[in-house]
Amino acid sequence: MWLAPPSYLFLVVTVLVVSYVKSQDSFYYLKQCHINDPNVNQCLKQSTNYLIANMRRGIPELDLNDPEPVIIDEIQLALGTGPDGYRATFRDIEAFGVSNCTVTAVRSDIDTSQFQFTLYIPRITARAKYESSGVLILVRASGGGNYWGEYEGVKVKAYLKATKVLGEDGLTHLQLQQIKMDFNVKDIRMGVDGIHNGNSVLQAALNLFINSNAQELLKEMKPHLKKKLLVLMSDFVTHIFQSVPYSQFLVED
């Protein structure tokens, strides 16, 4: 019977170990959690925060290079009805600070692949171009200019449901089925400048109204804003699930 020399066995073992390590390193941006861990939710919270921290530095393997700014093409605001109802459209919105979020809690049902994440973002700043029409506080507010906003103490709750599928790589992946989210903001400062017609009286009146009614304005904008954010979140989660096998998220003991 032929016996492999010790040097050959050592080479084989080394290749296997290196291959395993490289396989693990390819998902360096995640920490695996164990399905039967009684503290699996705590582990999922840590793993998600670890992923977020790596996203800030960039993850070329996931084509994630610069997470800032988050860009939204357009949202709309409507106040009042009739021909003089105030309408505003915000375009080319750029939001900074979103990636500085922290997952503060996770609830999960591993068997049904349902997860709820609670996140906290200390501060988001935004800028956009806006156009408006109609009457606001007895002043005709038709025109346009620049919008800016500062949102502090942002709390987000996101729920997602997935199912397991066989990926193109022959491995089990998660496939997103449903995603929901809601958010609230503790403090808001926002305003407009650079009004096209240079009307300083209108600009002052708009800024007074905006900052006096910031939470109410956000409430009116929220449905449209949530719809846009859900599209971005859905695309992001789908990309992660397609790129990362299920076993890199959760493994059986």
Side-chain angles (χ1 to χ4, degrees):
M1 182 175 64
W2 179 80
L3 295 177
S7 58
Y8 179 78
L9 289 175
F10 176 76
L11 178 62
V12 171
V13 171
T14 301
V15 170
L16 290 173
V17 170
V18 170
S19 297
Y20 175 78
V21 170
K22 287 182 69 176
S23 173
Q24 296 302 304
D25 284 348
S26 62
F27 301 102
Y28 62 88
Y29 44 82
L30 278 175
K31 291 184 179 294
Q32 288 179 316
C33 296
H34 293 266
I35 291 175
N36 297 320
D37 182 353
N39 296 313
V40 66
N41 287 335
Q42 180 68 15
C43 180
L44 287 170
K45 182 180 82 170
Q46 293 172 351
S47 181
T48 308
N49 280 324
Y50 190 70
L51 172 63
I52 292 169
N54 278 284
M55 284 173 51
R56 294 191 196 108
R57 293 188 287 268
I59 306 175
E61 294 83 354
L62 296 178
D63 296 322
L64 298 175
N65 296 312
D66 189 354
E68 303 276 348
V70 173
I71 298 175
I72 300 175
D73 57 350
E74 178 182 303
I75 59 173
Q76 297 176 353
L77 169 67
L79 298 175
T81 58
D84 288 332
Y86 180 73
R87 303 287 184 272
T89 300
F90 303 85
R91 293 188 173 91
D92 302 325
I93 304 156
E94 296 182 334
F96 298 82
V98 178
S99 65
N100 192 31
C101 65
T102 301
V103 177
T104 58
V106 175
R107 296 176 61 188
S108 67
D109 185 330
I110 304 298
D111 292 337
T112 59
S113 298
Q114 296 185 78
F115 307 90
Q116 179 176 288
F117 299 89
T118 303
L119 303 94
Y120 178 77
I121 307 170
R123 186 171 186 264
I124 297 174
T125 60
R127 61 192 185 202
K129 297 292 184 181
Y130 85 95
E131 294 179 357
S132 63
S133 63
V135 174
L136 188 65
I137 51 173
L138 304 180
V139 177
R140 180 153 294 280
S142 298
N146 304 314
Y147 166 85
W148 60 268
E150 298 175 354
Y151 311 88
E152 298 190 355
V154 182
K155 294 183 179 179
V156 181
K157 281 201 172 181
Y159 161 85
L160 62 90
K161 178 175 173 57
T163 187
K164 295 178 186 176
V165 297
L166 188 65
E168 294 181 358
D169 54 6
L171 300 174
T172 299
H173 286 253
L174 286 174
Q175 183 178 75
L176 184 64
Q177 288 187 311
Q178 184 182 23
I179 186 167
K180 300 177 182 178
M181 65 88 68
D182 198 6
F183 66 90
N184 60 70
V185 183
K186 182 178 180 182
D187 295 308
I188 307 173
R189 291 183 64 248
M190 51 187 179
V192 296
D193 57 38
I195 291 181
H196 292 169
N197 57 17
N199 189 329
S200 59
V201 174
L202 174 59
Q203 182 169 303
L206 283 172
N207 283 324
L208 177 62
F209 176 82
I210 287 170
N211 278 294
S212 299
N213 300 274
Q215 291 288 353
E216 288 76 11
L217 289 172
L218 179 61
K219 183 178 179 180
E220 294 297 326
M221 297 166 68
K222 203 172 183 180
H224 199 199
L225 183 56
K226 281 173 61 175
K227 187 180 298 184
K228 296 287 184 177
L229 291 173
L230 280 170
V231 172
L232 294 176
M233 291 175 64
S234 178
D235 289 346
F236 172 75
V237 172
T238 296
H239 179 59
I240 295 291
F241 284 171
Q242 289 176 344
S243 303
V244 182
Y246 178 79
S247 60
Q248 293 298 322
F249 295 109
L250 288 160
V251 294
E252 296 182 359
D253 293 323

